[in-house]
Amino acid sequence: TDAAGTADPATAAEASGTQQGFGDPSETGGLAEIVVTAQKSSENLQKTAAAVTSVSGDALVASGITDIRAAQVLIPSVRFQQQNTATEVYIRGVGSTLDYPQVEPSASFNFNGVYIPREAAAVPLFDIDRLEVLPGPQGTLYGRSSLGGAINVTLRRPTRDYETNLLVEVGNFGLAHGTAVQNVPVSDKLALRAGVDYTYTDGYQTSGADSKNNLGLRLSALYEPTPTFTAYLWGYYVQKKGNSPNLLTKGVDRETGGLAPNKFLHDNPWNDRRGSEILALPSNPFLPPPVAPFARKTDYENYTVGAQFDLELGDATLTYMPSYLDMDVSADYFLGAYPGNKTDHFDQQTHELRLSGESDRLKWILGAYAYRVNSDGTFFFTFFPVSIVDRHRLQGLAAFGQATFSVTDTLRLIGGGRFSYDDRTGRGRAGDGVTPYSYSRDFKRWDFKAGVEYDVGRRAMIYATVQTGYQPGTFNAFPSSPVASNEVKEATLMAFHAGFKSRFLDNRLQINNEAFFYDYKNLFASAYNTVLNTNQTFNAKRVEIYGNQLDILFHPTADDRLSFSVGYLHARNKSFDLPPGASLPGQPTNFDGLQLQYAPDWTLSAGYHHDFQLANGYVRVQVNTRYESSFFADFNHTPGGRQKAYTKTDASLTYYAQSGRWNVGGWIKNIENEPVQAATAGGSNQPFLPTAASTFLEPPRTYGLRFGANF
């Protein structure tokens, strides 16, 4: 699907040249050709053998989206969900929970091609060129932690024009959001771009928790001293000082204190207060109910810098991409009725060197990759340690290559491979906060990709691919739990994709479809239980995932666009037994046949916009809606952690001046005010029910007014 796949995104900056990026999608009024770089080279989205979704930065702004979590409504078959300051990513059911330093995500998140740790991914999305999501294992081009796919955010580069962009938004919950971007062409060889973004909101939760006081700064430079050499340097700083979100009790009947899977403690699900009015539930005898600012703050800082140097060598291009990231966070929050604290520190550097080229028959890329990440972190629950990782280091080297060979003008073959070497060491203290443990192991892995593409017409292509990905093994950070061993084996995934991409009706109707089958071995299963105070990470021996994704985009007139996406996902455990010693008395030990966590069987998305043409501009009305069938938040299907089926709808109304200089409008998100679970822990510690849950929630209904200016 292109940027308009679910939310109309396609009419954005790739479209027709108006400054704000909204107008006729192509010179003929048909659908625009979208260029993506998800596979580390520029290519037409409709000629890419993968179900890539590309959303433009202008589409994000028009929808009131300022971070990766809110972009979930625009992208089929994914979940971007809050876990305090971290962001959990699930693509077609492949993801991981528990944001601990030694557990990497199962889908890679990248800024300008640089891998970003999960804990550092929740940064403001402003002055964005595009957001791309590539599903399926990407072991060949992206390496570790890309079993589920890759998410790429591309920042806007400096240009040769003087350019000033301003954005101001106000809304409910005290929203005040502003963005200012200035582009300066210093000379015909050097351009600079600077931006600042600030967001303030009162807390979404009754106590004042889940508020924002966030600042983002960004600076970039583009230097082109010769026609064959380009240096692009960029960096950003992010600071967060709001009140941390609290986990809310779900699955408890406030009158009886018994299990009620779909109930929250209050009629307002975002009410996180607990007091004497809940007479049937035992109150916390040691601490007052959560009231911000009762030391419930987030203290977050993130420094990231990167660069890309490109040198043309005849028919080939040599590219070098270094980066460095330093992030610290300490978050105080309540897990139900009891306080917790989570700290993380990441210090990471990455280096990628690649050589790419293209001839009449062959398009190829060769590369080498090196990285090193040092991290540590603690998690305390009611002042008792749950996880203490004093030091964790993961470093590695990789060599990779991929090529597409045109056998004929209509038939192409794809092949590629990657060899990875990863070395992990760690030490920490067990659940008693005293007993030390250590871990050291290295991993070697070959990943590959093979595929075929065939053009059945000028605007139609069929394809089939097989590709793999892997995640290096790690350790369980709570070895004093009943788990017999702290060894967590490496996870692997082999995927088969078959699909077609097509356009009809004079380039006005686009129909893309992809069927897939995943063989997933040694999935990282993990869970935290707030009642038992256990935190376990281990392997599910085998998981089977298959499904289908259908994306339809229809542009009947120059003023109308309709998008529709249907994702079916059958994600089930095939062989999943808890390891010896990992189960507690009375708990099940076999989970064969159960649905994977955060893997709804059905995801449907639809979007429609209409432009009302006026004498001095036009008004765009846009509506996007998303339906997800029910799913569970943990591998053992805790009743209170079940998310019932829901529908969430967003809408916006925007006037764009004919000059392209300014626009004004409003937006509303989650019109239904649906309480949708994000990251969730099993068990509720207020009524001490292991079958209930404690959950973060996605935001309630929000709305706002927006003014934008471009000079």
Side-chain angles (χ1 to χ4, degrees):
T1 177
D2 64 16
T6 45
D8 150 57
T11 54
E14 302 92 339
S16 65
T18 55
Q19 189 164 3
Q20 73 273 31
F22 289 93
D24 291 342
S26 72
E27 295 179 358
T28 64
L31 297 168
E33 299 298 334
I34 307 299
V35 175
V36 295
T37 57
Q39 299 194 93
K40 301 197 175 184
S41 63
S42 298
E43 54 191 347
N44 187 327
L45 185 145
Q46 285 299 101
K47 294 293 185 181
T48 303
V52 182
T53 298
S54 177
V55 182
S56 74
D58 289 326
L60 297 174
V61 170
S63 299
I65 292 172
T66 58
D67 61 38
I68 187 65
R69 298 160 180 168
Q72 176 176 290
V73 70
L74 304 182
I75 302 171
S77 300
V78 304
R79 291 197 58 74
F80 300 139
Q81 55 193 34
Q82 175 176 249
Q83 189 176 35
N84 214 316
T85 56
T87 300
E88 291 182 356
V89 177
Y90 284 81
I91 303 177
R92 293 178 176 175
V94 182
S96 64
T97 187
L98 292 183
D99 53 332
Y100 292 126
Q102 81 286 4
V103 181
E104 291 80 36
S106 299
S108 65
F109 187 87
N110 307 276
F111 256 64
N112 281 346
V114 171
Y115 174 85
I116 302 294
R118 167 176 46 199
E119 290 76 6
V123 296
L125 295 182
F126 71 97
D127 201 32
I128 298 299
D129 182 53
R130 63 189 177 277
L131 164 67
E132 297 177 356
V133 177
L134 181 61
Q138 306 300 322
T140 298
L141 292 180
Y142 289 91
R144 68 183 177 95
S145 300
S146 59
L147 288 85
I151 302 98
N152 298 317
V153 173
T154 303
L155 310 178
R156 282 183 174 153
R157 289 191 173 196
T159 69
R160 296 182 182 276
D161 299 316
Y162 281 102
E163 180 184 346
T164 303
N165 300 321
L166 302 174
L167 174 70
V168 177
E169 292 180 298
V170 295
N172 63 334
F173 293 101
L175 170 66
H177 173 226
T179 302
V181 177
Q182 181 63 53
N183 190 90
V184 179
V186 178
S187 68
D188 59 351
K189 297 179 180 180
L190 176 65
L192 302 177
R193 193 176 187 93
V196 57
D197 183 87
Y198 176 75
T199 301
Y200 175 88
T201 64
D202 297 331
Y204 294 139
Q205 296 175 349
T206 304
S207 71
D210 202 5
S211 64
K212 293 183 176 66
N213 186 4
N214 301 343
L215 174 67
L217 304 174
R218 192 184 302 159
L219 180 65
S220 59
L222 184 65
Y223 181 52
E224 300 174 292
T226 70
T228 60
F229 178 73
T230 299
Y232 170 47
L233 296 89
W234 56 272
Y236 60 78
Y237 168 74
V238 176
Q239 180 189 80
K240 298 185 179 184
K241 294 290 185 179
N243 292 325
S244 305
N246 293 323
L247 282 87
L248 298 128
T249 298
K250 180 177 179 291
V252 179
D253 189 311
R254 61 180 289 180
E255 296 179 356
T256 67
L259 178 67
N262 293 320
K263 283 191 174 183
F264 292 86
L265 291 184
H266 299 274
D267 293 336
N268 172 16
W270 290 271
N271 186 346
D272 57 337
R273 291 185 182 274
R274 289 161 177 81
S276 59
E277 73 276 13
I278 308 178
L279 299 177
L281 302 181
S283 61
N284 185 333
F286 305 108
L287 298 165
V291 177
F294 182 65
R296 304 296 97 191
K297 291 285 188 179
T298 292
D299 189 2
Y300 176 103
E301 285 192 311
N302 181 347
Y303 301 85
T304 302
V305 294
Q308 179 172 332
F309 303 98
D310 293 305
L311 176 63
E312 294 184 15
L313 303 171
D315 294 332
T317 300
L318 181 66
T319 300
Y320 172 54
M321 299 173 60
S323 77
Y324 176 76
L325 177 148
D326 186 279
M327 189 215 75
D328 283 282
V329 60
S330 176
D332 294 299
Y333 57 103
F334 276 86
L335 292 88
Y338 292 89
N341 172 267
K342 183 77 167 62
T343 68
D344 285 295
H345 168 71
F346 279 80
D347 178 347
Q348 173 187 281
Q349 59 174 299
T350 68
H351 302 268
E352 180 167 311
L353 181 68
R354 62 180 187 246
L355 185 67
S356 59
E358 185 174 0
S359 62
D360 292 341
R361 294 289 185 184
L362 186 65
K363 184 176 183 179
W364 55 274
I365 180 171
L366 296 171
Y369 182 77
Y371 73 96
R372 179 170 182 165
V373 55
N374 296 306
S375 59
D376 56 76
T378 62
F379 173 37
F380 282 79
F381 174 62
T382 320
F383 310 119
F384 295 103
V386 175
S387 171
I388 300 178
V389 179
D390 292 313
R391 184 178 184 274
H392 168 254
R393 187 204 69 199
L394 180 64
Q395 59 185 3
L397 300 169
F400 63 91
Q402 183 169 305
T404 301
F405 177 68
S406 297
V407 180
T408 68
D409 291 340
T410 58
L411 177 64
R412 295 173 296 279
L413 300 179
I414 306 169
R418 184 187 192 103
F419 175 76
S420 301
Y421 171 81
D422 302 279
D423 176 63
R424 190 191 300 275
T425 61
R427 67 171 186 264
R429 285 166 282 165
D432 58 9
V434 177
T435 305
Y437 66 84
S438 62
Y439 176 91
S440 179
R441 187 172 172 186
D442 58 66
F443 303 87
K444 301 179 180 67
R445 168 72 178 179
W446 279 99
D447 281 305
F448 73 90
K449 178 177 181 178
V452 58
E453 304 172 348
Y454 181 67
D455 297 330
V456 295
R458 188 166 67 92
R459 292 175 177 163
M461 178 185 78
I462 59 176
Y463 64 87
T465 62
V466 56
Q467 54 202 76
T468 64
Y470 106 111
Q471 193 165 348
T474 188
F475 56 93
N476 174 28
F478 197 66
S480 66
S481 73
V483 178
S485 169
N486 72 340
E487 176 73 21
V488 183
K489 298 178 181 178
E490 63 185 84
T492 63
L493 193 152
M494 178 178 289
F496 302 86
H497 299 93
F500 65 84
K501 295 189 170 186
S502 58
R503 287 187 174 181
F504 306 97
L505 301 180
D506 195 25
N507 209 33
R508 296 181 181 274
L509 174 64
Q510 177 176 296
I511 302 177
N512 294 345
N513 190 84
E514 182 173 277
F516 53 89
F517 175 86
Y518 295 171
D519 186 10
Y520 195 171
K521 296 180 180 178
N522 289 331
L523 172 149
F524 283 18
S526 52
Y528 173 67
N529 189 292
T530 63
V531 174
L532 304 174
N533 195 25
T534 56
N535 166 39
Q536 306 171 5
T537 304
F538 40 82
N539 297 108
K541 186 175 181 181
R542 185 164 178 263
V543 170
E544 184 179 85
I545 302 174
Y546 60 83
N548 191 83
Q549 181 177 320
L550 172 67
D551 300 306
I552 299 174
L553 184 61
F554 185 40
H555 200 292
T557 73
D559 294 325
D560 295 275
R561 172 167 293 204
L562 174 68
S563 60
F564 184 65
S565 175
V566 180
Y568 171 69
L569 184 68
H570 182 90
R572 300 293 188 270
N573 296 323
K574 296 294 288 184
S575 179
F576 187 0
D577 290 288
L578 294 185
S583 62
L584 294 177
Q587 284 191 317
T589 61
N590 180 272
F591 303 102
D592 290 0
L594 294 190
Q595 180 190 53
L596 269 64
Q597 59 195 50
Y598 303 112
D601 288 349
W602 292 96
T603 302
L604 284 73
S605 303
Y608 174 73
H609 83 236
H610 178 77
D611 294 338
F612 294 91
Q613 300 295 334
L614 305 176
N616 296 312
Y618 66 96
V619 173
R620 168 161 295 185
V621 179
Q622 182 168 310
V623 178
N624 308 305
T625 190
R626 178 186 177 97
Y627 165 84
E628 282 189 319
S629 60
S630 64
F631 59 85
F632 285 88
D634 57 13
F635 65 84
N636 55 353
H637 287 199
T638 300
R642 178 182 181 271
Q643 170 64 53
K644 66 179 182 179
Y646 75 92
T647 301
K648 287 174 65 174
T649 305
D650 300 348
S652 64
L653 177 71
T654 309
Y655 170 75
Y656 293 95
Q658 188 174 25
S659 64
R661 295 277 185 172
W662 62 276
N663 62 81
V664 62
W667 48 262
I668 181 170
K669 294 185 283 187
N670 191 7
I671 295 174
E672 297 86 348
N673 205 34
E674 279 286 346
V676 178
Q677 293 174 212
T680 303
S684 169
N685 49 51
Q686 175 125 4
F688 306 105
L689 277 180
T691 52
S694 300
T695 182
F696 291 110
L697 282 184
E698 294 179 6
R701 181 189 300 120
T702 57
Y703 49 84
L705 299 175
R706 178 184 64 252
F707 174 78
N710 306 289
F711 303 103

